[in-house]
Amino acid sequence: MVLAVVGLSLSSAAAVADEQLYKTKNCVICHKTDQNFLGPSFTSVAAKYADDKGADVKLARKIREGSIGVWGPTPMPAQPQVTEAEALTLARWILEIK
């Protein structure tokens, strides 16, 4: 029982930390959790990639390198200030949003 509580505390702490990463890396400028803004909502991204086993790596690469045409004509600029580890953390956090 104690281990279950500790596990839940750690996972919710990680979610809060990842949300802070989202804010400090400027993702919030173009993306919202549950509504489209300049970029797609994270709930839309999570739904689109729900069945893609390698989505975390693909999204991490898109975060760092940018992309265009996936969600329409508006480009996602590269975010080179985000490290590979941070990009993977962000991608995994996004994919867990429901």
Side-chain angles (χ1 to χ4, degrees):
M1 177 90 156
V2 171
L3 290 177
V5 171
V6 170
L8 287 174
S9 296
L10 291 176
S11 69
S12 63
V16 169
D18 298 341
E19 184 174 358
Q20 288 301 321
L21 187 61
Y22 148 74
K23 292 176 182 174
T24 61
K25 294 301 177 178
N26 297 325
C27 309
V28 70
I29 293 170
C30 296
H31 297 279
K32 305 296 178 208
T33 303
D34 58 355
Q35 61 185 340
N36 293 336
F37 189 55
L38 296 174
S41 70
F42 289 150
T43 53
S44 296
V45 174
K48 180 177 182 133
Y49 292 98
D51 296 326
D52 187 339
K53 300 296 182 208
D56 58 345
V57 174
K58 289 177 191 173
L59 290 177
R61 185 174 50 244
K62 288 178 185 214
I63 290 168
R64 290 198 23 90
E65 297 176 5
S67 68
I68 189 167
V70 177
W71 295 93
T74 304
M76 174 163 165
Q79 304 298 315
Q81 78 282 5
V82 178
T83 68
E84 289 181 22
E86 290 170 335
L88 192 56
T89 296
L90 284 165
R92 289 176 177 160
W93 175 73
I94 291 164
L95 292 168
E96 290 177 2
I97 295 174
K98 302 292 182 228

